[in-house]
Amino acid sequence: MIILKQNLDISRHDMSSKIVITLFSLFAELERDLISLRTKEALAAKKQQGKTLGKPRGTLQKSKFDADLDRIKDLLKLGLSFRKIATLLGYKNHLALNTYITKRQLREQSS
């Protein structure tokens, strides 16, 4: 590998190439640590100012199940289990469907 701007060839396995690679990796790690530190400090300052962080409790976000909402309601009315509904609609995770139905209180609506 050749770094054009600095005219460095780090494809060789000599001592200077190893030093350059080590320095670049060290600088990258330091930059990640500094970004993390600044982020944590900013969040702590916001929290100290009394601002709440994150999304409000109870907020329902978009879901992959939204596209099949009417079909899910119909299948719930028929009394099918979460596992069967997930299988019929082609979803692999019936537990996620269970969470979706519970949070949106679809089970009570279908009865």
Side-chain angles (χ1 to χ4, degrees):
M1 176 189 278
I2 298 174
I3 302 171
L4 295 176
K5 285 187 178 181
Q6 288 78 17
N7 197 20
L8 294 172
D9 183 5
I10 57 173
S11 59
R12 300 180 314 222
H13 295 289
D14 60 352
M15 188 59 70
S16 64
S17 295
K18 289 180 183 180
I19 291 171
V20 168
I21 292 171
T22 303
L23 286 174
F24 282 158
S25 63
L26 175 66
F27 292 142
E29 184 177 349
L30 286 172
E31 182 61 26
R32 279 194 311 269
D33 290 345
L34 287 172
I35 290 170
S36 176
L37 181 65
R38 286 191 302 262
T39 303
K40 287 176 185 174
E41 287 173 351
L43 290 173
K46 295 244 186 220
K47 201 170 188 179
Q48 193 174 19
Q49 293 170 0
K51 294 185 180 179
T52 55
L53 305 174
K55 67 178 179 69
R57 284 189 151 241
T59 302
L60 294 177
Q61 295 177 323
K62 290 183 181 180
S63 171
K64 63 182 177 184
F65 301 114
D66 287 341
D68 295 318
L69 179 59
D70 294 331
R71 190 111 188 265
I72 290 170
K73 287 179 181 179
D74 292 341
L75 294 172
L76 282 170
K77 285 179 186 174
L78 294 174
L80 271 74
S81 68
F82 301 130
R83 188 181 301 257
K84 290 217 187 230
I85 293 171
T87 304
L88 280 172
L89 298 178
Y91 296 111
K92 295 178 183 171
N93 190 351
H94 70 281
L95 298 174
L97 180 63
N98 181 12
T99 303
Y100 177 82
I101 291 170
T102 304
K103 283 191 175 184
R104 284 162 177 78
Q105 300 173 348
L106 299 178
R107 195 178 314 156
E108 290 80 19
Q109 293 175 4
S110 64
S111 300

